[in-house]
Amino acid sequence: MKNYLVNSVLFSFLFVSLFTSCSSDDDDDNVYNLTLETYSADLEPGETASISILSGNGNYQVVTNNDDVATARISGNNVVISAIGEGTASLTVSDAENKFQVIQVMVKASTTALTSAEAFHLGRPEQDGFPSSAMGITWSRNTDSNTAEFSTVAIEITQVQYNQLQTKEAVKELYDSTSNKIASFTAKSDANFSEKYFIVNDAGTYRLVKMVDLTFDAGANKAYFVERH
């Protein structure tokens, strides 16, 4: 009888241990790896992107280490990213089992190529339809018979710089990084005249301007730059 009781207790212990072990294995089987559709995103300021959570354990959360660059939120099984400003940010996605993954985000403004129509020329009104004030450059006065003064808010650049500038962003960057802004300049119509190149701030619009061939209009007592053909 004593042996029977011992054996019964031992059997019960083994049964409970086996059941507990199986339950523990089942619990482990129900813990999933956290996997995402992708682990990086390249965006421009103002853009959004959605990255799917392919597997995980629910109760998803996401935090950013740089909310000046990108913010994020969970929407269902998706990480929705909003690009704020240029730079990089790391988004950490976690779940109920403390599994986590990191999404690397790069936000960079796109570049806009200049077109031929955006390299401006100040022309003679009766020939080209331009007024005496155009692209942020205004005729002020003729200081003598072959010298004219113009007012502007600009920087003067070289022909090499003029030819190298290919995007609106590059034009603005060069303007902003140059401290010696000019409020006026003079030009002559005689044989010593040389082409002039400017980046002009025309009421917040940055224009690439090439000035060629200063011509005087005696009747209007004004002077104009015209494009050489």
Side-chain angles (χ1 to χ4, degrees):
M1 183 68 176
K2 184 177 180 180
N3 289 337
Y4 173 79
L5 290 173
V6 171
N7 289 336
S8 295
V9 172
L10 181 59
F11 175 79
S12 298
F13 175 76
L14 291 174
F15 178 78
V16 171
S17 297
L18 179 62
F19 179 79
T20 304
S21 176
C22 289
S23 297
S24 178
D25 290 342
D26 289 342
D27 290 342
D28 289 342
D29 289 343
N30 290 330
V31 176
Y32 303 101
N33 289 327
L34 179 59
T35 57
L36 308 178
E37 176 186 8
T38 184
Y39 299 90
S40 64
D42 294 333
L43 300 171
E44 297 176 11
E47 286 188 335
T48 61
S50 180
I51 295 177
S52 298
I53 301 173
L54 303 180
S55 67
N57 302 285
N59 194 25
Y60 302 114
Q61 298 182 49
V62 60
V63 294
T64 178
N65 73 337
N66 192 344
D67 55 14
D68 290 331
V69 173
T71 60
R73 60 184 174 86
I74 299 296
S75 177
N77 287 333
N78 297 285
V79 181
V80 180
I81 305 168
S82 298
I84 306 301
E86 290 189 77
T88 59
S90 296
L91 309 179
T92 302
V93 183
S94 60
D95 65 13
E97 293 294 332
N98 294 320
K99 304 285 187 181
F100 71 90
Q101 295 289 354
V102 176
I103 302 171
Q104 298 295 342
V105 179
M106 175 174 286
V107 180
K108 184 176 182 180
S110 64
T111 58
T112 307
L114 290 170
T115 67
S116 58
E118 291 167 321
F120 296 94
H121 304 271
L122 182 61
R124 198 185 325 176
E126 64 269 28
Q127 290 185 354
D128 304 324
F130 287 107
S132 59
S133 176
M135 291 81 69
I137 297 177
T138 305
W139 172 86
S140 297
R141 64 194 179 101
N142 292 339
T143 58
D144 58 42
S145 60
N146 71 347
T147 305
E149 181 179 83
F150 295 84
S151 62
T152 186
V153 179
I155 63 169
E156 188 165 1
I157 60 175
T158 66
Q159 182 178 8
V160 172
Q161 289 173 314
Y162 177 89
N163 292 332
Q164 288 178 340
L165 291 169
Q166 299 296 318
T167 67
K168 293 178 180 179
E169 290 77 14
V171 170
K172 183 178 184 303
E173 182 179 0
L174 178 57
Y175 181 93
D176 289 342
S177 64
T178 304
S179 59
N180 57 327
K181 308 295 192 296
I182 60 174
S184 64
F185 66 93
T186 59
K188 293 181 176 294
S189 62
D190 59 20
N192 295 322
F193 171 78
S194 61
E195 297 177 353
K196 287 184 175 291
Y197 304 88
F198 299 96
I199 297 175
V200 177
N201 183 351
D202 182 12
T205 299
Y206 298 87
R207 304 191 186 282
L208 198 58
V209 177
K210 171 184 177 182
M211 292 189 145
V212 184
D213 290 348
L214 183 63
T215 301
F216 281 79
D217 182 339
N221 192 30
K222 292 186 177 180
Y224 307 96
F225 281 99
V226 296
E227 182 179 358
R228 179 185 298 137
H229 297 286

mmCIF file of all heavy atoms in Angstrom, residues 5-53:
data_model
loop_
_atom_site.group_PDB
_atom_site.id
_atom_site.type_symbol
_atom_site.label_atom_id
_atom_site.label_comp_id
_atom_site.label_asym_id
_atom_site.label_seq_id
_atom_site.Cartn_x
_atom_site.Cartn_y
_atom_site.Cartn_z
ATOM 1 N N LEU A 5 1.121 4.269 -2.887
ATOM 2 C CA LEU A 5 0.985 5.713 -2.682
ATOM 3 C C LEU A 5 2.182 6.481 -3.222
ATOM 4 O O LEU A 5 2.055 7.532 -3.838
ATOM 5 C CB LEU A 5 0.820 6.004 -1.187
ATOM 6 C CG LEU A 5 -0.515 5.573 -0.572
ATOM 7 C CD1 LEU A 5 -0.481 5.768 0.934
ATOM 8 C CD2 LEU A 5 -1.671 6.353 -1.189
ATOM 9 N N VAL A 6 3.359 5.916 -2.996
ATOM 10 C CA VAL A 6 4.582 6.573 -3.506
ATOM 11 C C VAL A 6 4.556 6.636 -5.010
ATOM 12 O O VAL A 6 4.869 7.642 -5.637
ATOM 13 C CB VAL A 6 5.840 5.833 -2.999
ATOM 14 C CG1 VAL A 6 7.083 6.367 -3.703
ATOM 15 C CG2 VAL A 6 5.969 5.987 -1.496
ATOM 16 N N ASN A 7 4.195 5.535 -5.625
ATOM 17 C CA ASN A 7 4.146 5.482 -7.088
ATOM 18 C C ASN A 7 3.090 6.447 -7.627
ATOM 19 O O ASN A 7 3.288 7.088 -8.666
ATOM 20 C CB ASN A 7 3.848 4.059 -7.558
ATOM 21 C CG ASN A 7 5.021 3.130 -7.324
ATOM 22 O OD1 ASN A 7 6.153 3.589 -7.250
ATOM 23 N ND2 ASN A 7 4.765 1.818 -7.208
ATOM 24 N N SER A 8 1.973 6.559 -6.949
ATOM 25 C CA SER A 8 0.911 7.463 -7.408
ATOM 26 C C SER A 8 1.381 8.917 -7.347
ATOM 27 O O SER A 8 1.151 9.713 -8.259
ATOM 28 C CB SER A 8 -0.333 7.288 -6.532
ATOM 29 O OG SER A 8 -0.863 6.000 -6.686
ATOM 30 N N VAL A 9 2.021 9.272 -6.235
ATOM 31 C CA VAL A 9 2.543 10.638 -6.101
ATOM 32 C C VAL A 9 3.584 10.930 -7.159
ATOM 33 O O VAL A 9 3.604 11.995 -7.786
ATOM 34 C CB VAL A 9 3.131 10.850 -4.695
ATOM 35 C CG1 VAL A 9 3.847 12.198 -4.615
ATOM 36 C CG2 VAL A 9 2.031 10.773 -3.647
ATOM 37 N N LEU A 10 4.487 9.990 -7.409
ATOM 38 C CA LEU A 10 5.535 10.160 -8.410
ATOM 39 C C LEU A 10 4.945 10.309 -9.795
ATOM 40 O O LEU A 10 5.361 11.159 -10.584
ATOM 41 C CB LEU A 10 6.497 8.959 -8.359
ATOM 42 C CG LEU A 10 7.674 9.004 -9.335
ATOM 43 C CD1 LEU A 10 8.534 10.266 -9.065
ATOM 44 C CD2 LEU A 10 8.530 7.753 -9.209
ATOM 45 N N PHE A 11 3.945 9.499 -10.089
ATOM 46 C CA PHE A 11 3.300 9.569 -11.399
ATOM 47 C C PHE A 11 2.633 10.927 -11.598
ATOM 48 O O PHE A 11 2.723 11.539 -12.652
ATOM 49 C CB PHE A 11 2.270 8.432 -11.523
ATOM 50 C CG PHE A 11 1.479 8.507 -12.805
ATOM 51 C CD1 PHE A 11 2.027 8.070 -14.003
ATOM 52 C CD2 PHE A 11 0.188 9.038 -12.805
ATOM 53 C CE1 PHE A 11 1.289 8.143 -15.178
ATOM 54 C CE2 PHE A 11 -0.529 9.107 -13.979
ATOM 55 C CZ PHE A 11 0.016 8.662 -15.170
ATOM 56 N N SER A 12 1.946 11.371 -10.524
ATOM 57 C CA SER A 12 1.270 12.668 -10.614
ATOM 58 C C SER A 12 2.270 13.798 -10.836
ATOM 59 O O SER A 12 2.049 14.713 -11.622
ATOM 60 C CB SER A 12 0.479 12.925 -9.322
ATOM 61 O OG SER A 12 -0.514 11.961 -9.148
ATOM 62 N N PHE A 13 3.397 13.736 -10.158
ATOM 63 C CA PHE A 13 4.440 14.754 -10.314
ATOM 64 C C PHE A 13 4.986 14.772 -11.739
ATOM 65 O O PHE A 13 5.156 15.825 -12.339
ATOM 66 C CB PHE A 13 5.564 14.485 -9.320
ATOM 67 C CG PHE A 13 6.746 15.408 -9.470
ATOM 68 C CD1 PHE A 13 6.683 16.727 -9.009
ATOM 69 C CD2 PHE A 13 7.903 14.969 -10.085
ATOM 70 C CE1 PHE A 13 7.759 17.565 -9.153
ATOM 71 C CE2 PHE A 13 8.965 15.809 -10.236
ATOM 72 C CZ PHE A 13 8.909 17.124 -9.767
ATOM 73 N N LEU A 14 5.241 13.580 -12.269
ATOM 74 C CA LEU A 14 5.759 13.491 -13.634
ATOM 75 C C LEU A 14 4.744 14.013 -14.637
ATOM 76 O O LEU A 14 5.079 14.695 -15.607
ATOM 77 C CB LEU A 14 6.146 12.047 -13.969
ATOM 78 C CG LEU A 14 7.354 11.499 -13.215
ATOM 79 C CD1 LEU A 14 7.536 10.003 -13.536
ATOM 80 C CD2 LEU A 14 8.610 12.264 -13.586
ATOM 81 N N PHE A 15 3.442 13.689 -14.386
ATOM 82 C CA PHE A 15 2.392 14.134 -15.307
ATOM 83 C C PHE A 15 2.282 15.654 -15.309
ATOM 84 O O PHE A 15 2.205 16.294 -16.354
ATOM 85 C CB PHE A 15 1.057 13.503 -14.888
ATOM 86 C CG PHE A 15 -0.098 13.944 -15.748
ATOM 87 C CD1 PHE A 15 -0.289 13.388 -17.005
ATOM 88 C CD2 PHE A 15 -0.972 14.933 -15.299
ATOM 89 C CE1 PHE A 15 -1.355 13.808 -17.785
ATOM 90 C CE2 PHE A 15 -2.018 15.352 -16.087
ATOM 91 C CZ PHE A 15 -2.224 14.776 -17.340
ATOM 92 N N VAL A 16 2.299 16.236 -14.106
ATOM 93 C CA VAL A 16 2.213 17.697 -13.997
ATOM 94 C C VAL A 16 3.426 18.360 -14.631
ATOM 95 O O VAL A 16 3.330 19.362 -15.335
ATOM 96 C CB VAL A 16 2.083 18.125 -12.520
ATOM 97 C CG1 VAL A 16 2.215 19.645 -12.384
ATOM 98 C CG2 VAL A 16 0.751 17.650 -11.958
ATOM 99 N N SER A 17 4.615 17.779 -14.393
ATOM 100 C CA SER A 17 5.846 18.336 -14.967
ATOM 101 C C SER A 17 5.796 18.281 -16.479
ATOM 102 O O SER A 17 6.175 19.232 -17.172
ATOM 103 C CB SER A 17 7.062 17.563 -14.451
ATOM 104 O OG SER A 17 7.180 17.704 -13.056
ATOM 105 N N LEU A 18 5.331 17.146 -17.022
ATOM 106 C CA LEU A 18 5.255 17.001 -18.471
ATOM 107 C C LEU A 18 4.263 17.988 -19.052
ATOM 108 O O LEU A 18 4.513 18.641 -20.060
ATOM 109 C CB LEU A 18 4.861 15.564 -18.823
ATOM 110 C CG LEU A 18 4.705 15.253 -20.329
ATOM 111 C CD1 LEU A 18 6.055 15.475 -21.025
ATOM 112 C CD2 LEU A 18 4.223 13.815 -20.527
ATOM 113 N N PHE A 19 3.104 18.149 -18.394
ATOM 114 C CA PHE A 19 2.075 19.076 -18.862
ATOM 115 C C PHE A 19 2.590 20.513 -18.839
ATOM 116 O O PHE A 19 2.406 21.272 -19.776
ATOM 117 C CB PHE A 19 0.831 18.939 -17.992
ATOM 118 C CG PHE A 19 -0.269 19.882 -18.388
ATOM 119 C CD1 PHE A 19 -1.081 19.594 -19.480
ATOM 120 C CD2 PHE A 19 -0.478 21.053 -17.674
ATOM 121 C CE1 PHE A 19 -2.084 20.473 -19.839
ATOM 122 C CE2 PHE A 19 -1.472 21.926 -18.042
ATOM 123 C CZ PHE A 19 -2.283 21.640 -19.125
ATOM 124 N N THR A 20 3.273 20.860 -17.736
ATOM 125 C CA THR A 20 3.825 22.213 -17.612
ATOM 126 C C THR A 20 4.869 22.476 -18.678
ATOM 127 O O THR A 20 4.939 23.544 -19.273
ATOM 128 C CB THR A 20 4.443 22.416 -16.219
ATOM 129 O OG1 THR A 20 3.454 22.145 -15.238
ATOM 130 C CG2 THR A 20 4.981 23.828 -16.054
ATOM 131 N N SER A 21 5.703 21.470 -18.935
ATOM 132 C CA SER A 21 6.745 21.593 -19.955
ATOM 133 C C SER A 21 6.131 21.801 -21.318
ATOM 134 O O SER A 21 6.562 22.637 -22.096
ATOM 135 C CB SER A 21 7.638 20.358 -19.947
ATOM 136 O OG SER A 21 8.590 20.424 -20.970
ATOM 137 N N CYS A 22 5.074 21.037 -21.612
ATOM 138 C CA CYS A 22 4.410 21.172 -22.908
ATOM 139 C C CYS A 22 3.774 22.546 -23.039
ATOM 140 O O CYS A 22 3.827 23.175 -24.096
ATOM 141 C CB CYS A 22 3.341 20.087 -23.069
ATOM 142 S SG CYS A 22 4.033 18.433 -23.292
ATOM 143 N N SER A 23 3.148 23.005 -21.924
ATOM 144 C CA SER A 23 2.525 24.328 -21.953
ATOM 145 C C SER A 23 3.566 25.410 -22.196
ATOM 146 O O SER A 23 3.353 26.352 -22.941
ATOM 147 C CB SER A 23 1.795 24.593 -20.634
ATOM 148 O OG SER A 23 0.750 23.661 -20.458
ATOM 149 N N SER A 24 4.739 25.236 -21.547
ATOM 150 C CA SER A 24 5.826 26.211 -21.733
ATOM 151 C C SER A 24 6.301 26.211 -23.166
ATOM 152 O O SER A 24 6.547 27.255 -23.762
ATOM 153 C CB SER A 24 6.975 25.887 -20.781
ATOM 154 O OG SER A 24 8.050 26.777 -20.975
ATOM 155 N N ASP A 25 6.409 25.003 -23.769
ATOM 156 C CA ASP A 25 6.825 24.924 -25.172
ATOM 157 C C ASP A 25 5.803 25.592 -26.064
ATOM 158 O O ASP A 25 6.152 26.284 -27.027
ATOM 159 C CB ASP A 25 7.017 23.463 -25.581
ATOM 160 C CG ASP A 25 8.235 22.840 -24.921
ATOM 161 O OD1 ASP A 25 9.097 23.621 -24.449
ATOM 162 O OD2 ASP A 25 8.311 21.596 -24.876
ATOM 163 N N ASP A 26 4.505 25.371 -25.748
ATOM 164 C CA ASP A 26 3.469 25.997 -26.560
ATOM 165 C C ASP A 26 3.557 27.510 -26.471
ATOM 166 O O ASP A 26 3.393 28.225 -27.459
ATOM 167 C CB ASP A 26 2.080 25.534 -26.089
ATOM 168 C CG ASP A 26 1.820 24.070 -26.450
ATOM 169 O OD1 ASP A 26 2.541 23.568 -27.332
ATOM 170 O OD2 ASP A 26 0.912 23.463 -25.843
ATOM 171 N N ASP A 27 3.826 28.028 -25.232
ATOM 172 C CA ASP A 27 3.967 29.473 -25.071
ATOM 173 C C ASP A 27 5.119 29.989 -25.897
ATOM 174 O O ASP A 27 5.029 31.039 -26.541
ATOM 175 C CB ASP A 27 4.196 29.832 -23.595
ATOM 176 C CG ASP A 27 2.923 29.592 -22.767
ATOM 177 O OD1 ASP A 27 1.845 29.502 -23.387
ATOM 178 O OD2 ASP A 27 3.041 29.493 -21.523
ATOM 179 N N ASP A 28 6.259 29.273 -25.897
ATOM 180 C CA ASP A 28 7.411 29.688 -26.687
ATOM 181 C C ASP A 28 7.072 29.694 -28.166
ATOM 182 O O ASP A 28 7.508 30.558 -28.918
ATOM 183 C CB ASP A 28 8.604 28.757 -26.428
ATOM 184 C CG ASP A 28 9.180 28.962 -25.024
ATOM 185 O OD1 ASP A 28 8.877 30.024 -24.424
ATOM 186 O OD2 ASP A 28 9.895 28.068 -24.542
ATOM 187 N N ASP A 29 6.280 28.711 -28.590
ATOM 188 C CA ASP A 29 5.913 28.633 -30.009
ATOM 189 C C ASP A 29 5.057 29.818 -30.429
ATOM 190 O O ASP A 29 4.989 30.158 -31.601
ATOM 191 C CB ASP A 29 5.161 27.329 -30.286
ATOM 192 C CG ASP A 29 6.073 26.106 -30.209
ATOM 193 O OD1 ASP A 29 7.300 26.311 -30.277
ATOM 194 O OD2 ASP A 29 5.557 24.984 -30.057
ATOM 195 N N ASN A 30 4.384 30.451 -29.489
ATOM 196 C CA ASN A 30 3.502 31.566 -29.804
ATOM 197 C C ASN A 30 4.204 32.925 -29.737
ATOM 198 O O ASN A 30 3.562 33.947 -29.862
ATOM 199 C CB ASN A 30 2.303 31.572 -28.852
ATOM 200 C CG ASN A 30 1.368 30.410 -29.116
ATOM 201 O OD1 ASN A 30 1.266 29.959 -30.251
ATOM 202 N ND2 ASN A 30 0.699 29.929 -28.071
ATOM 203 N N VAL A 31 5.497 32.955 -29.501
ATOM 204 C CA VAL A 31 6.281 34.187 -29.537
ATOM 205 C C VAL A 31 6.926 34.277 -30.911
ATOM 206 O O VAL A 31 7.677 33.391 -31.314
ATOM 207 C CB VAL A 31 7.359 34.226 -28.432
ATOM 208 C CG1 VAL A 31 8.210 35.482 -28.565
ATOM 209 C CG2 VAL A 31 6.709 34.169 -27.060
ATOM 210 N N TYR A 32 6.594 35.351 -31.632
ATOM 211 C CA TYR A 32 7.036 35.473 -33.017
ATOM 212 C C TYR A 32 8.156 36.512 -33.151
ATOM 213 O O TYR A 32 8.225 37.465 -32.365
ATOM 214 C CB TYR A 32 5.864 35.889 -33.914
ATOM 215 C CG TYR A 32 4.696 34.933 -33.842
ATOM 216 C CD1 TYR A 32 3.572 35.247 -33.075
ATOM 217 C CD2 TYR A 32 4.722 33.724 -34.521
ATOM 218 C CE1 TYR A 32 2.501 34.376 -32.997
ATOM 219 C CE2 TYR A 32 3.649 32.845 -34.451
ATOM 220 C CZ TYR A 32 2.543 33.176 -33.686
ATOM 221 O OH TYR A 32 1.495 32.312 -33.598
ATOM 222 N N ASN A 33 8.998 36.292 -34.136
ATOM 223 C CA ASN A 33 10.002 37.295 -34.464
ATOM 224 C C ASN A 33 9.309 38.522 -35.051
ATOM 225 O O ASN A 33 8.308 38.406 -35.764
ATOM 226 C CB ASN A 33 11.008 36.757 -35.478
ATOM 227 C CG ASN A 33 11.919 35.716 -34.873
ATOM 228 O OD1 ASN A 33 12.257 35.782 -33.693
ATOM 229 N ND2 ASN A 33 12.322 34.737 -35.672
ATOM 230 N N LEU A 34 9.848 39.682 -34.745
ATOM 231 C CA LEU A 34 9.324 40.928 -35.309
ATOM 232 C C LEU A 34 10.027 41.184 -36.636
ATOM 233 O O LEU A 34 11.247 41.370 -36.674
ATOM 234 C CB LEU A 34 9.564 42.087 -34.341
ATOM 235 C CG LEU A 34 9.096 43.473 -34.803
ATOM 236 C CD1 LEU A 34 7.604 43.475 -35.092
ATOM 237 C CD2 LEU A 34 9.439 44.522 -33.749
ATOM 238 N N THR A 35 9.280 41.162 -37.708
ATOM 239 C CA THR A 35 9.863 41.387 -39.037
ATOM 240 C C THR A 35 9.076 42.481 -39.752
ATOM 241 O O THR A 35 7.847 42.583 -39.604
ATOM 242 C CB THR A 35 9.866 40.111 -39.896
ATOM 243 O OG1 THR A 35 8.523 39.615 -40.006
ATOM 244 C CG2 THR A 35 10.742 39.044 -39.279
ATOM 245 N N LEU A 36 9.785 43.289 -40.517
ATOM 246 C CA LEU A 36 9.185 44.406 -41.238
ATOM 247 C C LEU A 36 9.364 44.236 -42.738
ATOM 248 O O LEU A 36 10.228 43.483 -43.200
ATOM 249 C CB LEU A 36 9.824 45.724 -40.804
ATOM 250 C CG LEU A 36 9.878 46.001 -39.292
ATOM 251 C CD1 LEU A 36 10.592 47.320 -39.032
ATOM 252 C CD2 LEU A 36 8.484 46.025 -38.693
ATOM 253 N N GLU A 37 8.555 44.953 -43.478
ATOM 254 C CA GLU A 37 8.624 44.929 -44.943
ATOM 255 C C GLU A 37 9.980 45.425 -45.433
ATOM 256 O O GLU A 37 10.564 44.893 -46.372
ATOM 257 C CB GLU A 37 7.501 45.797 -45.496
ATOM 258 C CG GLU A 37 7.485 45.955 -47.007
ATOM 259 C CD GLU A 37 6.425 46.941 -47.460
ATOM 260 O OE1 GLU A 37 5.811 47.614 -46.613
ATOM 261 O OE2 GLU A 37 6.225 47.028 -48.683
ATOM 262 N N THR A 38 10.501 46.455 -44.826
ATOM 263 C CA THR A 38 11.810 47.017 -45.155
ATOM 264 C C THR A 38 12.344 47.728 -43.924
ATOM 265 O O THR A 38 11.581 48.032 -42.994
ATOM 266 C CB THR A 38 11.731 47.990 -46.352
ATOM 267 O OG1 THR A 38 13.047 48.434 -46.702
ATOM 268 C CG2 THR A 38 10.871 49.197 -46.030
ATOM 269 N N TYR A 39 13.636 47.992 -43.914
ATOM 270 C CA TYR A 39 14.265 48.573 -42.724
ATOM 271 C C TYR A 39 14.924 49.919 -43.024
ATOM 272 O O TYR A 39 15.765 50.389 -42.259
ATOM 273 C CB TYR A 39 15.282 47.589 -42.144
ATOM 274 C CG TYR A 39 14.627 46.291 -41.725
ATOM 275 C CD1 TYR A 39 14.519 45.231 -42.621
ATOM 276 C CD2 TYR A 39 14.075 46.140 -40.460
ATOM 277 C CE1 TYR A 39 13.887 44.047 -42.259
ATOM 278 C CE2 TYR A 39 13.448 44.957 -40.079
ATOM 279 C CZ TYR A 39 13.352 43.917 -40.991
ATOM 280 O OH TYR A 39 12.724 42.756 -40.629
ATOM 281 N N SER A 40 14.548 50.527 -44.134
ATOM 282 C CA SER A 40 15.072 51.848 -44.469
ATOM 283 C C SER A 40 14.053 52.590 -45.314
ATOM 284 O O SER A 40 13.196 51.982 -45.966
ATOM 285 C CB SER A 40 16.405 51.741 -45.227
ATOM 286 O OG SER A 40 16.217 51.099 -46.472
ATOM 287 N N ALA A 41 14.150 53.921 -45.289
ATOM 288 C CA ALA A 41 13.259 54.758 -46.085
ATOM 289 C C ALA A 41 13.990 56.032 -46.472
ATOM 290 O O ALA A 41 14.630 56.663 -45.628
ATOM 291 C CB ALA A 41 11.990 55.090 -45.311
ATOM 292 N N ASP A 42 13.929 56.387 -47.755
ATOM 293 C CA ASP A 42 14.488 57.637 -48.260
ATOM 294 C C ASP A 42 13.329 58.524 -48.684
ATOM 295 O O ASP A 42 12.545 58.161 -49.574
ATOM 296 C CB ASP A 42 15.419 57.380 -49.456
ATOM 297 C CG ASP A 42 16.665 56.611 -49.058
ATOM 298 O OD1 ASP A 42 17.075 56.719 -47.887
ATOM 299 O OD2 ASP A 42 17.219 55.901 -49.909
ATOM 300 N N LEU A 43 13.215 59.686 -48.056
ATOM 301 C CA LEU A 43 12.082 60.561 -48.290
ATOM 302 C C LEU A 43 12.532 61.992 -48.520
ATOM 303 O O LEU A 43 13.675 62.351 -48.235
ATOM 304 C CB LEU A 43 11.129 60.519 -47.085
ATOM 305 C CG LEU A 43 10.525 59.160 -46.722
ATOM 306 C CD1 LEU A 43 9.797 59.255 -45.391
ATOM 307 C CD2 LEU A 43 9.589 58.676 -47.808
ATOM 308 N N GLU A 44 11.600 62.802 -49.032
ATOM 309 C CA GLU A 44 11.793 64.232 -49.133
ATOM 310 C C GLU A 44 10.918 64.913 -48.085
ATOM 311 O O GLU A 44 9.906 64.340 -47.669
ATOM 312 C CB GLU A 44 11.422 64.731 -50.537
ATOM 313 C CG GLU A 44 12.303 64.161 -51.635
ATOM 314 C CD GLU A 44 11.860 64.601 -53.013
ATOM 315 O OE1 GLU A 44 11.001 65.522 -53.096
ATOM 316 O OE2 GLU A 44 12.351 64.030 -54.004
ATOM 317 N N PRO A 45 11.289 66.102 -47.615
ATOM 318 C CA PRO A 45 10.468 66.788 -46.612
ATOM 319 C C PRO A 45 9.015 66.892 -47.069
ATOM 320 O O PRO A 45 8.742 67.247 -48.213
ATOM 321 C CB PRO A 45 11.132 68.162 -46.503
ATOM 322 C CG PRO A 45 12.555 67.915 -46.874
ATOM 323 C CD PRO A 45 12.506 66.876 -47.957
ATOM 324 N N GLY A 46 8.097 66.535 -46.167
ATOM 325 C CA GLY A 46 6.679 66.591 -46.488
ATOM 326 C C GLY A 46 6.102 65.278 -46.975
ATOM 327 O O GLY A 46 4.883 65.111 -47.013
ATOM 328 N N GLU A 47 6.956 64.344 -47.362
ATOM 329 C CA GLU A 47 6.475 63.049 -47.839
ATOM 330 C C GLU A 47 6.148 62.123 -46.670
ATOM 331 O O GLU A 47 6.636 62.286 -45.561
ATOM 332 C CB GLU A 47 7.524 62.379 -48.730
ATOM 333 C CG GLU A 47 7.653 62.987 -50.100
ATOM 334 C CD GLU A 47 8.562 62.185 -51.009
ATOM 335 O OE1 GLU A 47 9.438 61.454 -50.503
ATOM 336 O OE2 GLU A 47 8.412 62.283 -52.237
ATOM 337 N N THR A 48 5.313 61.106 -46.947
ATOM 338 C CA THR A 48 5.022 60.058 -45.971
ATOM 339 C C THR A 48 5.292 58.705 -46.610
ATOM 340 O O THR A 48 5.293 58.569 -47.834
ATOM 341 C CB THR A 48 3.563 60.113 -45.488
ATOM 342 O OG1 THR A 48 2.688 59.921 -46.614
ATOM 343 C CG2 THR A 48 3.254 61.441 -44.819
ATOM 344 N N ALA A 49 5.512 57.709 -45.769
ATOM 345 C CA ALA A 49 5.723 56.338 -46.237
ATOM 346 C C ALA A 49 5.106 55.385 -45.226
ATOM 347 O O ALA A 49 5.022 55.687 -44.033
ATOM 348 C CB ALA A 49 7.210 56.043 -46.407
ATOM 349 N N SER A 50 4.647 54.234 -45.711
ATOM 350 C CA SER A 50 4.059 53.219 -44.842
ATOM 351 C C SER A 50 4.837 51.920 -45.002
ATOM 352 O O SER A 50 5.033 51.441 -46.129
ATOM 353 C CB SER A 50 2.587 52.997 -45.202
ATOM 354 O OG SER A 50 2.004 52.017 -44.368
ATOM 355 N N ILE A 51 5.319 51.369 -43.895
ATOM 356 C CA ILE A 51 6.073 50.115 -43.903
ATOM 357 C C ILE A 51 5.266 49.065 -43.134
ATOM 358 O O ILE A 51 4.875 49.284 -41.979
ATOM 359 C CB ILE A 51 7.460 50.304 -43.263
ATOM 360 C CG1 ILE A 51 8.297 51.264 -44.116
ATOM 361 C CG2 ILE A 51 8.177 48.967 -43.090
ATOM 362 C CD1 ILE A 51 9.660 51.577 -43.535
ATOM 363 N N SER A 52 5.012 47.934 -43.787
ATOM 364 C CA SER A 52 4.184 46.893 -43.184
ATOM 365 C C SER A 52 4.962 46.100 -42.135
ATOM 366 O O SER A 52 6.147 45.808 -42.313
ATOM 367 C CB SER A 52 3.675 45.937 -44.263
ATOM 368 O OG SER A 52 2.867 46.606 -45.199
ATOM 369 N N ILE A 53 4.271 45.748 -41.052
ATOM 370 C CA ILE A 53 4.803 44.811 -40.052
ATOM 371 C C ILE A 53 4.354 43.414 -40.491
ATOM 372 O O ILE A 53 3.161 43.107 -40.485
ATOM 373 C CB ILE A 53 4.272 45.133 -38.649
ATOM 374 C CG1 ILE A 53 4.673 46.570 -38.254
ATOM 375 C CG2 ILE A 53 4.797 44.126 -37.629
ATOM 376 C CD1 ILE A 53 4.060 47.043 -36.952
#
